[in-house]
Amino acid sequence: MKYDLVIKGGKVVFRDEVKSVDIAVKDGKISAIAETIDDEALRIIDAKGQYVMPGMIDTHVHICEPGRTEWEGFVTGTKALAAGGTTCYVDMPLNALPATVDRKSLQIKLNAAKGKNYVDYALYGGLVPGNLEKLEELSEEGVVAYKCFMATCGSELPDDFKNVDDYTLFMGMKKLAELGAVLSIHAENAEMTDRMGQEMMKQGKTSATDYVASRPVFTEVDAVKRALFFAKETGCKLHFVHVSTAEAVEEITKERNKGMDVTLESCPHYFTITTAQFEEIGPVAKCSPPLRDEAAQAKLWEKLIEGKIDMLTSDHSPCPPEMKFSDSNNIFEVWGGITGCQNNVDLMFDEAVLKRNVPVTDFVRMIAYNPAVRFHLPTKGEIAVSKDADLIFVDPNQSYIVQKEELYYRHQHSPYIGRKINCRVTKTFVRGNLVFDLHEGIVGDPKGQLITYHSKAELLTP
Ligand SMILES: [Zn+2]
């Protein structure tokens, strides 16, 4: 057989155009793209009426294994990713125990991941107080980027992740600039958000709206501006995670236009759930930065439509139900993190492409091409000959209502349960292997592969 797989008749989404063409796959790679491919293949699949796109690369996923596997594990988390049309993800350095902040903890993470991933994966390393001397070894181990928190995070547990102080942030940036690595930042002013939260609680204000009010827009913008200033001083490449406000996007865009190497991501929940809806949905929609009001959300949509949002990520940050549904009715006390990675592609395709006429090529750049470029995944991110055959089918003519029972997460809660979505991911292929089919569910064994990047090695090659 000349090919392992031929996909026929789909609307294939390239970086700059959509064409009805056939795609042939051999040994996990895209080996031919042509108007018609009639050569022999082990398997021929008809994609008529459906979009064929590169799978999503979700660069913001918290798999909590090892240490907190009861929150979310590699098997359950990556089944959800596959079912949602994600073919590769980058795992965050926090929420598992130990946090991934040096060679030893990274190796513990890698061992835990082995043989359990249904999609391909890469790892983040953390920047935390006290690990400046460990950043280089993380690069040697192949992390694709580094992550730090300016907002308060973590727990009292000794191996848990900690947010940076200014010294660590600045010196970390200096070190990472030398390594040529990207630093991703959760940008919120820790002192302001902590103290405003405490003040709210003192006054007995513990509703969803009060929580949002304790983390106002300026607390994000302030942290973004400070990080940008530090980056200007140090020359560090930056990436801002889960940006929730148009004002922060503007600050980042301004610096990029002046030549700074900086990118940003935002998440489906900021585009699809408002503060008022958070109040109705309850704790499962709690995250930080928080969901914004309708006017702020409309402004963020404008930024997406203008092409200012480089990439979309889930910030899948799961937890057991008891951490979301306490008896106290105090929103400040429940876990801040949204379980959502199964509904990135369909939800945002519906909201952006179908409802707001965002070009599907722009959509594909946000979910696949831009993250592949920024996070050093050169075999991924677009449909082109010799790239990995990481492909998904999206049917724009099928709508469905998100049901609890269809979620693959370890714990089936999500703010999207009950929501109608006007398209459907019907197939997901990773390196040419079908891993999800709408009718069969998850197919086969976990064959996801680790992808590494060595920033320093690349710096040394002329
Ligand atoms: Zn996160």
Side-chain angles (χ1 to χ4, degrees), residues 122-340:
L123 296 188
Y124 257 110
L127 167 64
V128 293
N131 87 330
L132 289 172
E133 298 310 316
K134 307 288 183 183
L135 297 175
E136 188 162 351
E137 66 185 42
L138 285 165
S139 170
E140 286 163 9
E141 292 294 316
V143 301
V144 294
Y146 295 77
K147 164 80 178 287
C148 73
F149 263 66
M150 291 172 80
T152 301
C153 71
S155 66
E156 296 306 312
L157 297 168
D159 287 334
D160 210 353
F161 203 80
K162 296 277 183 300
N163 45 297
V164 290
D165 47 70
D166 280 354
Y167 177 85
T168 307
L169 180 60
F170 190 87
M171 293 304 171
M173 280 194 200
K174 254 179 115 167
K175 187 98 199 169
L176 292 175
E178 282 165 28
L179 290 171
V182 174
L183 176 63
S184 294
I185 300 182
H186 176 137
E188 282 183 296
N189 181 315
E191 189 178 355
M192 287 305 301
T193 50
D194 288 353
R195 300 266 301 261
M196 288 171 85
Q198 288 157 12
E199 203 47 47
M200 286 285 181
M201 277 193 280
K202 250 192 235 163
Q203 295 170 23
K205 295 180 175 170
T206 57
S207 72
T209 310
D210 298 327
Y211 171 72
V212 174
S214 77
R215 308 178 91 92
V217 172
F218 83 86
T219 56
E220 179 176 66
V221 180
D222 168 65
V224 162
K225 286 177 83 161
R226 217 146 43 83
L228 287 168
F229 182 69
F230 279 21
K232 228 185 279 178
E233 294 290 311
T234 56
C236 185
K237 300 178 197 174
L238 290 193
H239 173 75
F240 287 94
V241 297
H242 51 49
V243 173
S244 70
T245 61
E247 288 82 350
V249 175
E250 264 159 37
E251 294 299 332
I252 296 161
T253 308
K254 242 192 269 169
E255 289 305 328
R256 180 169 26 201
N257 291 344
K258 284 191 244 164
M260 188 183 284
D261 189 346
V262 57
T263 49
L264 70 96
E265 67 182 44
S266 189
C267 313
H269 39 268
Y270 297 115
F271 296 94
T272 58
I273 309 171
T274 60
T275 309
Q277 289 165 324
F278 172 24
E279 196 70 72
E280 279 166 39
I281 296 169
V284 290
K286 182 186 173 187
C287 59
S288 72
L291 300 166
R292 305 293 179 185
D293 65 24
E294 217 179 317
Q297 187 180 82
K299 284 203 282 181
L300 193 63
W301 266 113
E302 274 170 37
K303 293 293 170 197
L304 184 144
I305 289 162
E306 289 166 11
K308 302 283 175 12
I309 307 294
D310 299 304
M311 58 193 93
L312 293 167
T313 66
S314 64
D315 191 6
H316 179 61
S317 180
C319 70
E322 29 321 346
M323 290 172 66
K324 280 290 193 190
F325 305 100
S326 68
D327 299 330
S328 76
N329 273 329
N330 180 346
I331 197 77
F332 288 91
E333 282 173 2
V334 306
W335 175 253
I338 286 181
T339 301

Side-chain angles (χ1 to χ4, degrees), residues 211 265 273 349-350 405 460:
Y211 171 72
E265 67 182 44
I273 309 171
F349 186 89
D350 181 18
E405 297 70 30
L460 296 173

Side-chain angles (χ1 to χ4, degrees), residues 318-391:
C319 70
E322 29 321 346
M323 290 172 66
K324 280 290 193 190
F325 305 100
S326 68
D327 299 330
S328 76
N329 273 329
N330 180 346
I331 197 77
F332 288 91
E333 282 173 2
V334 306
W335 175 253
I338 286 181
T339 301
C341 72
Q342 200 172 321
N343 298 104
N344 287 320
V345 175
D346 56 7
L347 184 62
M348 287 307 283
F349 186 89
D350 181 18
E351 294 293 333
V353 180
L354 299 179
K355 292 188 182 149
R356 290 177 179 80
N357 294 315
V358 170
V360 66
T361 45
D362 285 8
F363 177 72
V364 154
R365 279 202 295 270
M366 282 187 285
I367 65 161
Y369 183 72
N370 292 345
V373 171
R374 189 53 162 170
F375 291 94
H376 316 287
L377 308 163
T379 64
K380 308 213 174 277
E382 63 177 325
I383 296 180
V385 170
S386 86
K387 294 274 178 184
D388 289 346
D390 293 352
L391 304 166

